[in-house]
């Protein structure tokens, strides 16, 4: 601990502790009863009617949340994925069918897959589904028709292309999903060799724990989801369940905004919430970072400061625009990013196991939290060690 209440991480950079923020919140709440205090207005790091200092209403939950968040914020983590497996199969071609390449998560995993394919010596191709059911079905039909060694289902529900999936299964073409079904690992219905993703339970839990830890166990939270997507609805329900473990964290609003409508509806919703809850609203969590891209203009128009409150965390892909908002402290404080490039390398390794007649690796990347204090200016979460590990496995 350094003077002024900053914690020095092992990598040497400083992070303002949540205790410092709580002290400021308590001071503002105390003085607001007799005066309007400069520096405690809405949009600063403190304000009347925000959670005050003193003991949390959930001390044990708060302590566990702090420990979990500290682990998730570490950046100098060692590779914990596979270190053994089959040597590279030669001469393979894989096709990545993308839900849409305008989705940063889908595009990031595709980029990682192409990089890994070059490393292992394979051909790789991306077919863009354009984000529409018809486009995705056409892209899958095209992928099956070229008879590749393997096909990636990149960010869409395989059940929406069951005819094409059945043809691929019948032709003996292994399918690997990226965020294609709810859980990581092999899938029987639909038939996937494996699905590469983090665990939704882990992502939901850590995003809620960040709010509990960051607020000192006293928060007024808003949760934004797309209830029309079962995966997203499940994630937001899990977030809500975790928030409820702390009695002094109040869920002020649960907002259902379909992702296709986010750009038009989010600004109106944010303006309404600011009017309703004012300084009671201290934290937000959304199932995807993109909501905060659309929320930023509304916060700005209302005179809210980019550094918060409310302090916003995205339980989503961790796309470059989210990192940019976090690094510049502009209406987003944290994200739970996917290691997109690493997942692209994992996709190639999983195909190599399929081609060699081996089972899937079973690897699931651990959750990570990115903030301005640990990102070091990066625009993606790219943990170390996986490239070297996979090259050693493949003999490349």
């Amino acid at each position: 601990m350094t003077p002024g209440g900053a914690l020095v991480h092992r990598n040497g950079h400083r992070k303002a502790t949540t205790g410092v923020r709580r002290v400021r919140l308590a001071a503002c709440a105390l003085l607001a009863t007799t005066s309007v205090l400069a520096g405690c207005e809405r949009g600063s790091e403190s304000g009347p009617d925000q959670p005050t200092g003193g003991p949390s209403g959930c001390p044990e939950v708060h302590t566990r949340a702090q420990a979990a968040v500290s682990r998730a914020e570490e950046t100098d983590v060692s590779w914990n994925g596979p270190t053994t497996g089959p040597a590279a199969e030669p001469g393979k071609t894989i096709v990545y069918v993308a839900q849409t390449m305008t989705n940063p998560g889908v595009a990031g995993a595709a980029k990682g897959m192409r990089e890994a394919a070059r490393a292992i010596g394979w051909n790789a191709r991306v077919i863009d589904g354009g984000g529409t059911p018809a486009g995705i079905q056409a892209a899958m039909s095209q992928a099956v028709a070229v008879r590749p060694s393997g096909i990636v289902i990149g960010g869409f529900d395989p059940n929406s292309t069951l005819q094409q999936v059945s043809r691929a299964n019948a032709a003996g073409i292994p399918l690997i999903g990226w965020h294609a079904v709810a859980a990581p690992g092999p899938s029987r219905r639909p038939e996937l060799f494996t699905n590469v993703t983090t665990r939704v339970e882990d992502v939901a839990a850590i995003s809620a724990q960040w709010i509990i830890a960051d607020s000192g166990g006293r928060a007024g939270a808003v949760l934004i989801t797309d209830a029309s997507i079962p995966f997203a609805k499940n994630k937001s329900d899990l977030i809500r369940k975790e928030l409820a473990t702390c009695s002094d964290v109040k869920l002020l609003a649960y907002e259902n905004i379909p992702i296709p409508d986010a750009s038009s509806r989010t600004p109106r919703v944010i303006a309404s919430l600011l009017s309703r809850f004012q300084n009671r609203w201290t934290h937000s969590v959304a199932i995807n970072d993109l909501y905060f891209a659309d929320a930023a203009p509304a916060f700005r128009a209302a005179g809210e400061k980019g550094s918060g409150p409310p302090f916003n965390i995205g339980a989503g892909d961790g796309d470059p625009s989210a990192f940019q908002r976090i690094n510049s402290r502009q209406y987003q404080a944290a994200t739970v990013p996917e290691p997109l490039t690493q997942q692209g390398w994992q996709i190639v390794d999983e195909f190599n196991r399929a081609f060699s007649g081996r089972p899937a690796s079973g690897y699931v990347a651990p959750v990570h939290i990115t903030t301005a204090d640990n990102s070091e200016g990066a625009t993606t979460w790219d943990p170390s060690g996986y490239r070297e590990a996979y090259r050693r496995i493949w003999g490349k």
Side-chain angles (χ1 to χ4, degrees):
M1 187 71 69
T2 63
L7 178 68
V8 178
H9 282 212
R10 280 181 290 173
N11 54 18
H13 44 264
R14 295 159 59 92
K15 177 180 179 181
T17 64
T18 55
V20 172
R21 183 178 294 161
R22 291 198 301 275
V23 168
R24 293 188 62 191
L25 294 177
C28 290
L30 177 64
L31 290 169
T33 61
T34 58
S35 65
V36 177
L37 180 66
C40 292
E41 73 278 6
R42 180 71 166 118
S44 70
E45 285 192 352
S46 49
D49 299 326
Q50 291 183 11
T52 61
S56 163
C58 57
E60 293 183 1
V61 173
H62 178 228
T63 298
R64 288 197 301 271
Q66 284 182 310
V69 168
S70 293
R71 289 192 300 271
E73 288 182 339
E74 292 180 358
T75 57
D76 54 345
V77 292
S78 301
W79 170 244
N80 68 337
T83 56
T84 61
E89 291 284 323
K92 301 298 182 180
T93 297
I94 51 179
V95 174
Y96 185 106
V97 178
Q99 179 254 348
T100 172
M101 288 295 282
T102 62
N103 181 319
V106 171
K111 179 182 177 182
M113 181 215 67
R114 286 193 281 202
E115 179 186 294
R118 289 193 297 271
I120 202 172
W122 294 352
N123 295 316
R125 177 182 177 186
V126 174
I127 303 176
D128 191 347
T132 67
I136 292 167
Q137 289 172 5
M140 272 295 288
S141 293
Q142 186 179 350
V144 175
V146 300
R147 294 296 181 105
S149 308
I151 297 172
V152 183
I153 295 177
F156 61 90
D157 182 358
N159 291 313
S160 67
T161 59
L162 276 180
Q163 185 179 27
Q164 293 85 355
V165 166
S166 296
R167 290 209 303 265
N169 293 156
I173 302 171
L175 302 175
I176 288 179
W178 180 84
H179 287 219
V181 293
S187 170
R188 294 186 62 185
R189 295 183 180 178
E191 186 178 336
L192 304 178
F193 179 74
T194 195
N195 181 53
V196 176
T197 181
T198 50
R199 290 189 179 90
V200 65
E201 298 87 351
D202 296 342
V203 173
I206 200 65
S207 59
Q209 288 166 337
W210 181 85
I211 289 177
I212 294 169
D214 188 71
S215 67
R218 294 180 181 275
V222 167
L223 172 55
I224 304 174
T225 190
D226 181 346
S228 69
I229 302 174
F231 180 84
K233 175 68 162 53
N234 180 44
K235 184 191 289 187
S236 57
D237 287 346
L238 291 167
I239 292 170
R240 181 159 54 177
K241 183 179 179 180
E242 186 68 26
L243 289 174
T245 63
C246 184
S247 59
D248 278 353
V249 172
K250 308 301 182 185
L251 184 61
L252 302 177
Y254 180 87
E255 296 294 335
N256 174 30
I257 304 175
I259 287 177
D261 300 334
S263 60
S264 61
R265 287 185 54 184
T266 303
R268 296 198 302 270
V269 169
I270 295 300
S272 174
L273 293 172
L274 287 169
S275 176
R276 286 170 59 195
F277 299 117
Q278 301 181 30
N279 288 358
R280 286 184 291 155
W281 180 10
T282 68
H283 290 76
S284 313
V285 55
I287 55 94
N288 194 294
D289 292 305
L290 66 85
Y291 289 104
F292 298 123
D294 297 318
F299 283 127
R300 191 174 292 112
E304 302 297 325
K305 292 187 177 179
S307 56
F311 304 99
N312 303 318
I313 182 169
D317 294 336
D319 64 84
S321 69
F323 274 72
Q324 289 162 6
R325 288 191 297 277
I326 290 165
N327 291 338
S328 60
R329 291 178 168 85
Q330 288 297 302
Y331 307 105
Q332 188 166 349
T335 185
V336 184
E338 298 282 324
L340 299 172
T341 303
Q342 178 262 304
Q343 289 175 336
W345 280 67
Q346 182 182 349
I347 287 169
V348 169
D349 181 67
E350 301 289 5
F351 272 127
N352 195 53
R353 293 169 191 270
F355 301 150
S356 303
R358 306 284 188 90
S361 73
Y363 178 64
V364 180
V367 291
H368 174 71
I369 294 174
T370 290
T371 68
D373 297 303
N374 70 359
S375 73
E376 298 183 339
T379 57
T380 60
W381 166 231
D382 194 22
S384 62
Y386 65 88
R387 291 179 176 88
E388 297 81 1
Y390 283 130
R391 283 182 179 275
R392 282 194 294 269
I393 291 172
W394 304 334
K396 295 290 184 174

